Structures are given as C-alpha cells and as structure tokens.
Amino acid sequence: MTLPYFDAEALATHLTPARAVAALEEALLGGLDPELDSPRLFAPLEAGEFLLMSAQSARYAGIKVATVAPRNPAKGHPKIQGTYLLLDRSTLTPLAAMDGAELTLIRTPAVTTLAIKHLLAIRGAASAGVVAVLGTSLQADRHIEAIHAVCGISELVVIGRRTEAAEALAQKWAGRGIPSRAGVTQDVATANVVVCATSSATPVFDGRLIADNAIVAAIGSHGLDAREVDPVLALRAEVVVEGVASALREAGDLIPARSAAQWKERGLCTLSELVAGRFAPVAGKPLLYTGVGMSWEDIVVAGRAFEILHDSDAKVH
C-alpha cells in the first residue's frame, strides 16, 4: 500500500480558513453529535507525553497521534508534533496520513471562528470589529488570519507578555492591511471580540474589564487546573462550549466558577445549538465561548483536506 501523505505546506495551501469553517459548519448542521466524541487519551513519556484523539464521522474514521515535549523549543524543535491517520469508515482502510500539528493549527482557529461568526450574528454585527488577541504564538497568528478571512477585523490589538513579540505580530498584520498595534490587558475593555490564545494556567485579564456586549473566546488552555478567564467573567457571561461532556471534563475556564453539577443544572449551550440557531442569550451579558479541542473537529477538517487534496492530485494525473 502506498499511503498518500499531506504535509504542512499542502494543508496550509489548500485548506483555507473559510473551507475549514464551512466543513465544520456543514458537519454540525448535518447531524454530527460532538457528545459522542471519545475522551482523548494522555500517555506519559520521558520527554513529555503522547496525546491520542480518535473519532469517526459520516464517511471517515481517524486518529491523531501527537506528542507534547515542553523542553523542545529550547532545543530548536517544535513543542507539539504529530500525525493524523484518516481511514474509510466502513472498511477501516487507511486513506491518507497528514501533518497533525498543521491540522491542529488549522482546525482550532476554524472552530473558534465558527463560534465567533455565529455569536456576531446574534449581536447583529457585520464584522468582528475591534479584536484583541492575547498571545503571540502561531495559534494566535492563525486565529487572526481565520477571523479576518471569515468575519473581518476593523482593528487589531495584540497583547503579549513580551512587548517585542506583540509588536512584531501587530506589524505583520498591519502590513497585510489591518490597522494593528501592540496593547496592554486593559485594552480588552474596548474590544468587540477578545481571543485568548495562550498557554497560561492563570487568568490573563480581569473579567470585570469586559464590556457587556463583548464576545470572548478562550481556547488556549485545557485541563481543570488551567484557565485563561477568571470566575468573574465565567459567572457574568452567557456561555457556549464545544460539547458539554468535554467542557465539564477539561474546561478550567468554567470550573471552579461553578461545579460540574452546577453547570449541568444551569445548562450550557453547545456549538451545535449555536450553529443551529438555538442559542438565545440573556441581553446585556458578555458572550463567552470556551474550547478545549475535540476529536470530531480533527476528523471533519482532515476529511475535507483529503477530499480537496485527493481531488487535486487526481486532476494532476
């Protein structure tokens, strides 16, 4: 068997943010149920850990095998690396392998952007307006790209622990036509959309600063011992999650603001309900989307990548 391999360049070139968002939206509207997702599995390694994420969709089965090596950046290697294996659902025949790290860099911003797109529609907003991004990593950069491509950004404020990194990212996007500047955490108070794309284990701003009509997306941290937003915001806001089970299992942004039992009793809107138009938030409250990353997102985006790239390769030959 000769298994096609789609590298990072091929994925980034062909799987645009708009295509990835559309694939996720179509899957949810088509009946895919994120609550059926298998919990991801963590396995310790001497240099870090394995992260295994398996899923199936209407047409495919697949698994992402990723490694997280915290000491790698100091050695000149990526912290996160991985491979995605896509299979036919009915026969479990392998169809393709692809760069798992790049797949994650595409699907995470796409899921966030899908949520923001529909939250903006609830607000009646024509674009994302003033967007404050906390973080200067590749994920932060890719979130800016996806949100601008799908929703539009009128002004960008980049907030980072290192001023020079924030200035460099702001200058990059200023060069692409978005009015941009480096900012400070207090700038979240005047932002229409706030995106938290950090690996911080502690809240990155005071939740009281967020305007009542703002949208916040916290997607950088996962695990009950890590949180990018504080309990103040979690209690103030109307909340949307990828899936209820995964949120109660891993969303430190929500717990311990309320216990899992209290969130269950109160109720959490899911991304599926948001996309289907079944989210009716209380007026005068911020809207908070918090994501931990789920396996169904990988397989939906991997499946769309395979369809695009397989068709492109067939036409060449």
Side-chain angles (χ1 to χ4, degrees), residues 8 12 77-81 99 101-110 133-147 158 162 165 169 172-173 176 195-199 219-220:
H77 298 289
K79 178 181 177 181
I80 299 174
Q81 302 173 88
D99 188 296
E102 180 63 30
L103 187 72
T104 304
L105 281 171
I106 293 170
R107 67 87 156 142
T108 304
V133 174
L134 290 99
T136 57
S137 66
L138 266 176
Q139 271 292 3
D141 184 42
R142 294 295 188 87
H143 272 78
I144 297 167
E145 177 185 14
I147 294 167
V158 180
R162 295 184 300 113
L169 187 55
K172 172 183 176 177
W173 285 99
R176 296 187 179 186
V195 177
C196 305
T198 78
S199 58
I219 55 80

Side-chain angles (χ1 to χ4, degrees), residues 38 58 91 121 138 169 191 195-196 227 233 245 260 272 305 308:
S38 300
T91 65
L138 266 176
L169 187 55
V195 177
C196 305
R227 54 195 51 83
L233 180 60
S272 295
I308 293 169

Side-chain angles (χ1 to χ4, degrees), residues 148 156 167-181:
H148 184 53
L156 173 66
E167 289 176 344
L169 187 55
Q171 288 172 7
K172 172 183 176 177
W173 285 99
R176 296 187 179 186
I178 303 176
S180 307
R181 64 180 175 86

Side-chain angles (χ1 to χ4, degrees), residues 199-231:
S199 58
S200 177
T202 57
V204 291
F205 58 80
D206 183 341
R208 293 172 295 184
L209 291 172
I210 298 297
D212 290 340
N213 63 347
I215 294 168
V216 178
I219 55 80
S221 298
H222 62 84
L224 296 182
D225 59 347
R227 54 195 51 83
E228 293 181 289
V229 301
D230 60 18

